[in-house]
Amino acid sequence: MRILGIETSCDETACGIVEDGKRLLSNVVLSSMDLHAAYGGVVPEIAARSHIEAIIPVIRQSLQQAQCTWDDIDGIAVTYGAGLGGSLLVGVMTARTLAITKNKPLYAINHVEAHIYANFLTDAAPSLQDYVLPKHQPEFPMLGLIVSGGHSQLVLWRGHFDYTLLGQTQDDAIGEAFDKVAKVLGLPYPGGPNIERAAEHGDPYAFNFPKAKMPNKYDYSFSGPKTAVLRAAQQQIGESHDFPSHKLSQRLSEAQKANIAASFQRIAVETVVDKTIMAYEEGKPLSVVIGGGVASSPELRRQLAQRLPIEIAYTDRKLCTDNGAMIATLGCFHMLHNQPVADPYKLAISPNLSM
Ligand code: KG4
Ligand code: ZN
């Protein structure tokens, strides 16, 4: 069984094809990130316009890469939420049209849930052998940590489509916090990978930024550490709390930036790892998996591997950030487990969809 997955929830136009929920046949991702860099974040109108231009070529290329025609495709999966309204619309309208004209079942996919399903890919077609994939699929009960630019959630799955949301961020998503701290340090968007690079030359213990205490033990917050970064930066250059944040990066030395980046990265990662370890101790899941853009962070991978009592397998970094293969993978499980199909004449977007 082969599912074609379409993803357009943010700034990546993506299409992937997956067989039986485990074998990667193609993964084509075109990002409009460069167009947003000048603005320091994703501009929704620019993202939506880019999707319109890219979507058909990306789908075509994905079919080519998989060496498939439409006759080889058994169903279409598409992200219908969460995400930017204008961006989601392009993917959903394209998928609806294709489902009707190619006469395929249509599956509506939750983007956040799909990030975790990237971990179910254990095999790739010969042309995609550069993907480093886990050897085995995760087992249930499965604890999933979703850490992206839009979401930070801790979820316990008892089986496919049977899960409980344990906790989540009460303000910024972790990736968003990385992006905002990067902006203070004058590092370009997306912030995560740039903080990662800057942190390589810094001391992660130079600053002890605070971790918030939350009423629900599995929830967390990044507003405290983010403000603490701002205050530390102001103090480093000898200015008071009303010094404008956009002028800070010109005055900070490279060493000061590196220390702030390394210390923030350590604390932000520790925050979500603390909660994951706590949830592991309580729920004793058989597998722990991570997904979302921040899942590619080596610091997150290092801390988790160090503190988790069980072995944790990570998927390829190319499957952590937004992609169509994760949508196709979850689509396969929709089909395998007889989940309801979506009406191709009616499927609507759901920008605020949650787990
Ligand atoms: O999952 P994703 O591609 O898009 C959303 O669904 O949001 O995640 C993008 C986020 C950005 O905020 C980016 O800064 C963050 O992932 N990110 C990282 C790293 N690579 C990407 N954050 C920390 N460390 C990284 N290495
Ligand atoms: Zn995402």
Side-chain angles (χ1 to χ4, degrees):
M1 172 249 295
R2 286 173 179 166
I3 300 289
L4 178 141
I6 297 173
E7 155 62 37
T8 63
S9 67
C10 192
D11 56 345
E12 270 95 18
T13 315
C15 179
I17 299 174
V18 168
E19 195 171 71
D20 300 330
K22 57 181 178 221
R23 185 171 160 85
L24 180 67
L25 300 185
S26 69
N27 189 37
V28 177
V29 181
L30 191 80
S31 177
S32 61
M33 200 177 292
D34 294 349
L35 303 177
H36 306 285
Y39 305 94
V42 176
V43 183
E45 290 79 4
I46 295 179
R49 220 174 304 138
S50 304
H51 288 309
I52 294 174
E53 287 169 15
I55 188 79
I56 298 297
V58 163
I59 293 172
R60 210 170 268 154
Q61 200 184 332
S62 185
L63 282 163
Q64 255 168 25
Q65 192 179 75
Q67 299 180 336
C68 284
T69 68
W70 280 105
D71 288 340
D72 305 312
I73 302 296
D74 300 293
I76 297 172
V78 64
T79 302
Y80 78 110
L84 301 169
S87 292
L88 287 167
L89 261 180
V90 180
V92 166
M93 292 312 291
T94 307
R96 283 173 51 177
T97 309
L98 287 168
I100 295 165
T101 55
K102 308 291 182 192
N103 195 24
K104 309 284 178 193
L106 178 64
Y107 296 98
I109 302 294
N110 180 332
H111 175 92
V112 183
E113 201 181 333
H115 266 304
I116 288 299
Y117 273 76
N119 292 286
F120 282 81
L121 288 166
T122 52
D123 181 24
S127 63
L128 300 172
Q129 288 303 315
D130 61 320
Y131 280 74
V132 182
L133 301 175
K135 290 197 173 54
H136 308 284
Q137 289 191 321
E139 287 179 85
F140 297 107
M142 166 180 85
L143 181 65
L145 173 68
I146 301 144
V147 278
S148 77
H151 306 272
S152 293
Q153 290 164 329
L154 195 57
V155 181
L156 186 68
W157 270 266
R158 285 168 293 274
H160 294 292
F161 311 107
D162 178 13
Y163 57 75
T164 305
L165 175 64
L166 299 179
Q168 57 189 333
T169 180
Q170 295 302 300
D171 37 61
D172 288 348
I174 182 169
E176 201 179 347
F178 269 96
D179 296 338
K180 288 180 180 167
V181 166
K183 216 169 177 177
V184 170
L185 301 181
L187 303 170
Y189 175 86
N194 290 304
I195 297 245
E196 179 191 327
R197 266 188 292 277
E200 281 168 18
H201 312 288
D203 171 9
Y205 294 92
F207 300 92
N208 210 359
F209 298 129
K211 285 188 257 181
K213 284 210 169 51
M214 310 301 288
N216 168 12
K217 62 181 178 181
Y218 293 128
D219 283 344
Y220 35 90
S221 151
F222 290 105
S223 65
K226 224 177 48 191
T227 310
V229 163
L230 191 60
R231 297 288 172 262
Q234 288 161 332
Q235 193 226 337
Q236 287 288 296
I237 58 164
E239 295 284 355
S240 69
H241 68 276
D242 48 14
F243 187 82
S245 63
H246 67 274
K247 289 190 180 157
L248 278 168
S249 68
Q250 304 152 13
R251 300 263 306 269
L252 288 164
S253 71
E254 289 310 308
Q256 286 168 325
K257 286 182 193 176
N259 283 342
I260 293 175
S263 303
F264 174 76
Q265 178 174 259
R266 174 180 63 83
I267 283 291
V269 166
E270 248 177 54
T271 300
V272 292
V273 171
D274 287 350
K275 308 288 168 169
T276 309
I277 301 300
M278 218 169 17
Y280 173 81
E281 299 295 348
E282 202 164 285
K284 288 284 178 323
L286 286 178
S287 301
V288 178
V289 292
I290 58 174
V294 187
S296 64
S297 159
E299 176 65 13
L300 175 59
R301 293 175 173 217
R302 189 189 62 76
Q303 284 195 26
L304 268 179
Q306 194 178 45
R307 292 179 57 191
L308 263 181
I310 57 168
E311 211 175 297
I312 174 164
Y314 300 113
T315 192
D316 197 282
R317 288 182 73 152
K318 295 189 280 299
L319 293 169
C320 291
T321 43
D322 291 351
N323 65 84
M326 68 185 197
I327 307 302
T329 308
L330 182 50
C332 288
F333 287 100
H334 274 252
M335 187 174 243
L336 285 167
H337 291 262
N338 298 315
Q339 293 295 297
V341 293
D343 183 341
Y345 290 94
K346 288 198 182 137
L347 177 62
I349 60 166
S350 182
N352 299 318
L353 185 68
S354 62
M355 291 288 291

